[in-house]
Amino acid sequence: MRHPSTSSSSTTAAGGGGGGGSGGKTNTSTTTPCCSKVGLKRGPWTPEEDEVLANYINKEGEGRWRTMPKRAGLLRCGKSCRLRWMNYLRPNVKRGQIAPDEEDLILRLHRLLGNRWSLIAGRIPGRTDNEIKNYWNTHLSKKLISQGIDPRTHKPLNPDSPAEDDNKNKLSSSKFNQNLMPYADQNIVTPSLELEPVVSSNRIPVMNKGNGYYYQGSNQMLANPNPNLPNPEFSGLGLVRSINNGVGNEEDDEVNYCTDDVFSSFLNSLINEDGFNSIQHQAVQQQQQQLNGIVPCGSSDPLIISSTPTPPQNFTFGAGWDIAPIMSSGSALNHNEQLKRFHDQVDKKF
DNA sequence: AACCCTATCAACCGCCATCTG
DNA sequence: CCAGATGGCGGTTGATAGGGT
């Protein structure tokens, strides 16, 4: 294996980066000036180059990448400088082993966001999108596959899994679901109004907004790889904030306040759905134990629910989130379309 | 020792959204 | 409103390290 801290300092001849992918997009012959590498150095950065770049940015600040190399005296293209800074030289970039709690969070976030590496990285301090992407491709996707889970959809590779039955008919044949929607959590269900927020084994209300409850589908997806680990929310890791932070107040709504915090809180609510499921599981266990006379009724932990879990109350999006129509009972939209609209809004916001 | 295979990850690419004039 | 410039993103590549034969 290549040691992370040494490879980039390699002074070996050109090589390093790959030939570049198509990105799956329409190929055009146009190239930006930055992409023309005439006379520019490529491949691994040398310690000298790193020093020059770091010194320059520390003095002049980030930005204006296109012209930076010239100003800094580097024979690199702006993109290369930016990438090097963002992924390696920038302060606070954490390297080394991904901790189990980070891995857990990556899994949760990927289930919710799909391959939105920058969004995922934005919620894991010190980790870059490139690093997370690499870790996903080299570790986590294989890990999921070995567990019989499709890393792209976070659904069982075996389509006959009983956990799927509830939504299978609605989802499995969807081309949108299979191809157009790499986002992972395709079991999110937006029920119609007449549906009460009834909790079943695989349909958990996560949040509500106005008329609609937001359901989380199969709870067997993304089993916590380390059940002994607390949910980051409650672990003091500071990786995610409490959902209570996301309680939308009228003030915010009035000023059309739709910020990262709003989305962040919403995301947290989704992330913590796993914790929610875990809590539910604990509750079931507790009830069982109570029936067996093992433990006294009640729990000092306010997060431990007693019987029927209730969705987080009072959660709201900022005004910029047009979630109500998505959740609307009268909507003729099927689930996939609703979910797609939600993701579209995610895209628009971020 | 030499070769092969696999895993890793830095760096590259094209595309797209946003910014700016 | 438009066009060009710029920044940022996700997909992909390939050099390298290390283990196996």
Side-chain angles (χ1 to χ4, degrees):
Chain A
M1 317 303 166
R2 191 163 55 156
H3 194 281
S5 63
T6 59
S7 62
S8 60
S9 295
S10 165
T11 54
T12 53
S22 66
K25 307 289 173 59
T26 307
N27 201 8
T28 66
S29 58
T30 58
T31 55
T32 63
C34 177
C35 298
S36 62
K37 297 291 192 300
V38 182
L40 296 181
K41 191 172 181 297
R42 300 177 60 185
W45 281 65
T46 66
E48 292 75 23
E49 288 177 309
D50 283 346
E51 193 180 349
V52 170
L53 180 61
N55 286 341
Y56 182 84
I57 292 177
N58 287 332
K59 211 170 83 176
E60 304 291 335
E62 296 181 39
R64 294 186 292 167
W65 296 105
R66 195 79 59 153
T67 58
M68 174 180 289
K70 202 168 192 176
R71 288 182 279 122
L74 287 164
L75 286 173
R76 294 276 181 174
C77 76
K79 277 190 174 184
S80 183
C81 291
R82 178 186 165 274
L83 203 68
R84 185 62 178 168
W85 173 255
M86 292 297 193
N87 289 339
Y88 198 84
L89 298 174
R90 190 170 43 138
N92 307 324
V93 170
K94 189 162 65 178
R95 281 185 292 272
Q97 278 288 330
I98 301 278
D101 50 356
E102 289 178 307
E103 181 179 304
D104 182 37
L105 190 53
I106 292 169
L107 282 164
R108 291 166 188 269
L109 287 164
H110 187 274
R111 184 168 69 131
L112 296 168
L113 299 168
N115 294 357
R116 286 170 163 72
W117 305 117
S118 63
L119 269 180
I120 294 171
R123 300 183 67 83
I124 304 177
R127 300 295 184 183
T128 68
D129 53 356
N130 209 33
E131 187 176 18
I132 290 170
K133 180 171 58 181
N134 282 333
Y135 189 73
W136 180 268
N137 289 332
T138 58
H139 291 93
L140 293 182
S141 64
K142 291 172 187 172
K143 188 174 179 178
L144 289 181
I145 289 170
S146 73
Q147 293 172 354
I149 297 172
D150 186 338
R152 198 170 58 88
T153 63
H154 292 251
K155 297 170 77 174
L157 289 167
N158 176 9
D160 293 324
S161 168
E164 294 248 83
D165 288 346
D166 205 28
N167 296 317
K168 189 167 58 179
N169 292 340
K170 287 184 251 178
L171 302 176
S172 62
S173 62
S174 165
K175 184 180 180 183
F176 162 73
N177 214 19
Q178 292 168 353
N179 299 322
L180 303 180
M181 195 65 162
Y183 315 126
D185 198 345
Q186 294 163 351
N187 278 334
I188 293 175
V189 177
T190 52
S192 58
L193 237 193
E194 61 270 22
L195 285 174
E196 293 296 321
V198 176
V199 176
S200 66
S201 61
N202 59 354
R203 185 176 270 192
I204 311 293
V206 175
M207 52 153 288
N208 68 337
K209 160 70 178 181
N211 292 335
Y213 278 92
Y214 205 82
Y215 284 81
Q216 175 60 51
S218 167
N219 60 2
Q220 84 164 29
M221 299 292 86
L222 190 66
N224 189 335
N226 185 350
N228 295 323
L229 276 176
N231 187 297
E233 163 95 10
F234 314 116
S235 67
L237 293 169
L239 297 177
V240 290
R241 294 189 293 273
S242 165
I243 188 173
N244 291 330
N245 290 351
V247 173
N249 57 48
E250 292 174 6
E251 242 178 292
D252 288 347
D253 288 343
E254 284 171 4
V255 296
N256 193 21
Y257 185 58
C258 178
T259 65
D260 287 3
D261 276 351
V262 175
F263 176 74
S264 180
S265 298
F266 171 54
L267 197 52
N268 290 343
S269 72
L270 295 177
I271 294 167
N272 291 327
E273 174 270 332
D274 286 308
F276 192 79
N277 290 346
S278 173
I279 290 166
Q280 186 191 24
H281 180 64
Q282 288 179 41
V284 170
Q285 280 189 323
Q286 197 173 30
Q287 285 180 332
Q288 191 69 47
Q289 288 170 334
Q290 284 170 7
L291 286 172
N292 295 337
I294 298 173
V295 292
C297 185
S299 166
S300 60
D301 187 345
L303 296 166
I304 300 297
I305 48 181
S306 59
S307 57
T308 303
T310 53
Q313 298 297 312
N314 300 324
F315 183 89
T316 180
F317 289 91
W321 287 91
D322 186 25
I323 198 69
I326 294 178
M327 304 303 186
S328 166
S329 63
S331 172
L333 298 176
N334 61 22
H335 161 263
N336 291 330
E337 183 60 29
Q338 291 173 349
L339 183 59
K340 183 175 184 300
R341 287 196 176 186
F342 166 69
H343 277 112
D344 284 346
Q345 290 191 44
V346 172
D347 288 340
K348 285 174 187 170
K349 293 294 174 189
F350 301 95

